[in-house]
Amino acid sequence: MEKFKTITSTYVPLPIENVDTDQIIPARFLKATTREGFGDNLFADWRYDKEGNPKVDFVLNDPKYSGEVLVAGKNFGSGSSREHAAWAIGGYGFKVVVSSFFADIFRNNALNNGILPVVISDEFLSELFDCSRKNPKSTVTVNLEAQTIVNNETGRTESFEINAYKKECLLKGLDDIDFLLSNRDKILEYEKRRAFSY
């Protein structure tokens, strides 16, 4: 994984609550076993009509909005535990998803795939949506090291929580296996020192 650096970016607003993983990536796309191509089918049923043409009223098809940050309504990622939802979000190019609440399994899948889920207050979320409506080029700055997100349009800042282990992995660009391998010498030294009992 890439090391997570502080991101200042425009953002894509998706002010819809209770977005589940089948809406993020419909079940018919789950046959693949590698991550390639999932970004093309992110929000496929909202993004394309039955003939595969882009729906002009969906935000991902609106050229006014772009960026590495997706700002979504409350309760994002509910439903089934499919990791493909995180693959689709990352494959599209999002590095951060902001919401006032995430489903636990989705949040963990996102972190395991190098995507930072940032939980903010309902008030801050509403402010971000308001700013994007007024100015689609509004930006946020997400600082993982400081655990802060700033609405650069208003200057408002909020702190967010993250598991210390997952924070370290994101900052160093490590998945769980990479983390274990990076501590291989410590593990081997511990195994040499510990007393075996049979």
Side-chain angles (χ1 to χ4, degrees):
M1 295 192 306
E2 291 182 17
K3 293 181 180 180
F4 191 97
K5 298 181 175 67
T6 297
I7 291 175
T8 297
S9 174
T10 51
Y11 56 93
V12 176
L14 187 71
I16 303 171
E17 295 188 353
N18 305 311
V19 175
D20 66 36
T21 51
D22 192 55
Q23 292 160 329
I24 296 170
I25 184 74
R28 65 186 177 277
F29 298 112
L30 304 188
K31 296 174 185 174
T33 55
T34 62
R35 302 177 192 199
E36 288 74 31
F38 275 90
D40 295 334
N41 296 308
L42 176 64
F43 301 121
D45 290 339
W46 294 345
R47 199 167 153 196
Y48 306 109
D49 64 21
K50 291 180 180 177
E51 287 72 45
N53 301 307
K55 296 179 180 178
V56 295
D57 59 345
F58 186 62
V59 68
L60 291 191
N61 298 325
D62 188 337
K64 294 195 304 287
Y65 295 103
S66 63
E68 297 178 302
V69 179
L70 174 66
V71 177
K74 187 175 185 176
N75 193 26
F76 187 82
S78 58
S80 71
S81 60
R82 65 187 68 162
E83 190 173 21
H84 307 73
W87 294 359
I89 288 169
Y92 186 81
F94 292 121
K95 295 183 178 174
V96 178
V97 183
V98 178
S99 179
S100 59
F101 182 82
F102 291 99
D104 287 341
I105 294 174
F106 172 82
R107 184 178 64 242
N108 290 329
N109 284 340
L111 288 166
N112 289 339
N113 285 279
I115 300 161
L116 177 62
V118 173
V119 177
I120 59 175
S121 67
D122 289 323
E123 295 76 20
F124 195 21
L125 186 64
S126 293
E127 180 183 286
L128 291 177
F129 288 141
D130 287 342
C131 287
S132 69
R133 275 192 295 271
K134 294 171 186 172
N135 177 15
K137 298 305 177 188
S138 296
T139 64
V140 292
T141 297
V142 180
N143 184 326
L144 175 57
E145 186 69 54
Q147 294 179 214
T148 58
I149 178 170
V150 181
N151 178 354
N152 295 316
E153 197 77 3
T154 64
R156 180 173 175 173
T157 302
E158 278 199 358
S159 298
F160 60 88
E161 297 297 318
I162 184 171
N163 174 280
Y165 164 68
K166 288 300 183 184
K167 178 180 178 179
E168 181 180 357
C169 286
L170 284 174
L171 289 170
K172 293 181 177 178
L174 305 174
D175 62 21
D176 291 337
I177 294 172
D178 291 330
F179 180 83
L180 284 174
L181 291 174
S182 73
N183 287 281
R184 183 174 185 274
D185 292 342
K186 293 177 185 175
I187 294 168
L188 291 174
E189 183 59 32
Y190 171 78
E191 290 295 327
K192 285 179 188 174
R193 287 187 283 109
R194 71 189 277 265
F196 288 93
S197 59
Y198 296 94

